[in-house]
Amino acid sequence: MLPPGDDWSLVDVGESDTTVYRRGEVFAKCCGPSGVAELAAERDRVEWLAGTGIPGARVVDWLESSSDGACLLTSAVAGVPGGALPPSSYERAMRGFGVVLRELHALTDCPFERPLASVIDVAADVVRRDAVNPDFLTDEWRLLKPSELLDQVVAESPYVESVLEPVVCHGDACLPNVFFDPQTLEVTGLIDLGRLGISDRYTDLALAAIQLHDEWSADPAPFFEAYGLSEPDSRRLEFFRLLDPLTWG
Ligand SMILES: Nc1ncnc2c1ncn2[C@@H]1O[C@H](COP(=O)(O)OP(=O)(O)OP(=O)(O)O)[C@@H](O)[C@H]1O
Ligand SMILES: [Mg+2]
């Protein structure tokens, strides 16, 4: 579906068959008929987060048609995405990122769940369809078959279940989805909330930490310090790092 009216400029064609447009202070995330349920789920999460005090966008409008699909219109989040910050900002931005995840993870009464078993089911489906994107894998992982990577995840999951710490997670806590005030380096908003829900806190910590390492070549220590974790569990960092790339496709 296209957003209503003229003057929209194309921003991004996303991983999950959605297209994002901008017009002034409004973003439109649009999908075809097969994507409506997923986009409606994102709309509900944007609405929920807006009532919590954690910064994010507001839902401006929702348009749906049975033949064309849907469009989610949201308010533009101020600031710049994490991926666009200069290196001189990294240290303070890591702290801002740690603080906002600590606050998000402290929220209660979230109606959305993302149980580990369901995420592993998604990964199993992506692997079965041979749809794993090799660009998301490390050189080391690319030496193995996706089914072998999935076997590793399944083998490690009893450990993760045994220490599970369910909190409200963003679910795709990568730098382009976190906006910062370029002066204060506090977080101005979280976007792309399709996977927000209750899951183990390391869902977010693993993705955030690997992004800081890969994109910023940064030691994530200030991030973990601001989050309030002195000794991160490396087994869970590894686990969620490997699980995530198997869930897209
Ligand atoms: N409300 C918003 N405020 C500011 N920027 C936004 C907003 N919504 C979307 N964007 C911009 O559009 C880009 C794509 O949006 P979003 O991440 O929601 O889409 P996506 O389809 O999930 O994309 P991807 O798969 O690349 O993550 C974002 O990275 C961001 O730059
Ligand atoms: Mg995104």
Side-chain angles (χ1 to χ4, degrees):
M1 187 173 185
L2 289 168
D6 304 321
D7 299 332
W8 291 93
S9 33
L10 178 68
V11 175
D12 187 53
V13 179
E15 280 310 315
S16 50
D17 152 42
T18 52
T19 308
V20 176
Y21 305 86
R22 178 176 195 160
R23 184 171 71 182
E25 291 304 293
V26 176
F27 280 81
K29 192 169 189 173
C30 303
C31 65
S34 64
V36 173
E38 208 172 302
L39 195 58
E42 177 164 354
R43 172 203 62 198
D44 294 346
R45 285 159 174 76
V46 175
E47 253 166 11
W48 180 78
L49 193 72
T52 65
I54 300 290
R58 276 177 305 102
V59 174
V60 172
D61 207 351
W62 169 257
L63 305 149
E64 185 179 339
S65 118
S66 53
S67 52
D68 294 343
C71 274
L72 171 62
L73 272 55
T74 59
S75 60
V77 167
V80 296
L85 289 173
S88 56
S89 300
Y90 291 173
E91 165 100 21
R92 280 189 300 151
M94 279 197 266
R95 293 183 192 282
F97 196 3
V99 167
V100 84
L101 285 187
R102 185 183 72 212
E103 290 170 355
L104 176 71
H105 292 180
L107 293 176
T108 54
D109 299 323
C110 174
F112 311 110
E113 307 247 355
R114 197 165 170 251
L116 182 56
S118 74
V119 181
I120 294 177
D121 284 348
V122 170
D125 181 57
V126 174
V127 169
R128 202 178 306 121
R129 288 187 285 108
D130 203 18
V132 174
N133 184 342
D135 293 348
F136 296 167
L137 301 176
T138 64
D139 291 344
E140 193 189 327
W141 292 337
R142 268 194 291 266
L143 298 174
L144 298 171
K145 288 193 240 146
S147 63
E148 292 171 320
L149 298 175
L150 180 67
D151 290 345
Q152 285 185 12
V153 165
V154 171
E156 186 69 347
S157 62
Y159 165 70
V160 176
E161 292 280 14
S162 75
V163 293
L164 206 69
E165 294 178 90
V167 298
V168 179
C169 282
H170 177 283
D172 189 18
C174 57
L175 289 167
N177 291 338
V178 184
F179 279 61
F180 295 84
D181 178 319
Q183 257 74 52
T184 66
L185 296 165
E186 283 171 12
V187 169
T188 51
L190 302 175
I191 64 158
D192 204 358
L193 304 183
R195 295 183 166 200
L196 183 145
I198 298 171
S199 56
D200 187 83
R201 68 171 78 247
Y202 281 83
T203 304
D204 283 348
L205 297 179
L207 243 69
I210 198 64
Q211 283 266 304
L212 299 175
H213 177 270
D214 288 355
E215 302 300 322
W216 289 0
S217 305
D219 173 350
F223 164 79
F224 283 116
E225 191 186 84
Y227 182 80
L229 196 57
S230 51
E231 286 182 49
D233 175 358
S234 54
R235 258 177 99 170
R236 268 186 289 173
L237 287 176
E238 292 282 320
F239 175 86
F240 285 103
R241 234 169 242 174
L242 175 57
L243 175 55
D244 183 71
L246 305 181
T247 62
W248 300 98

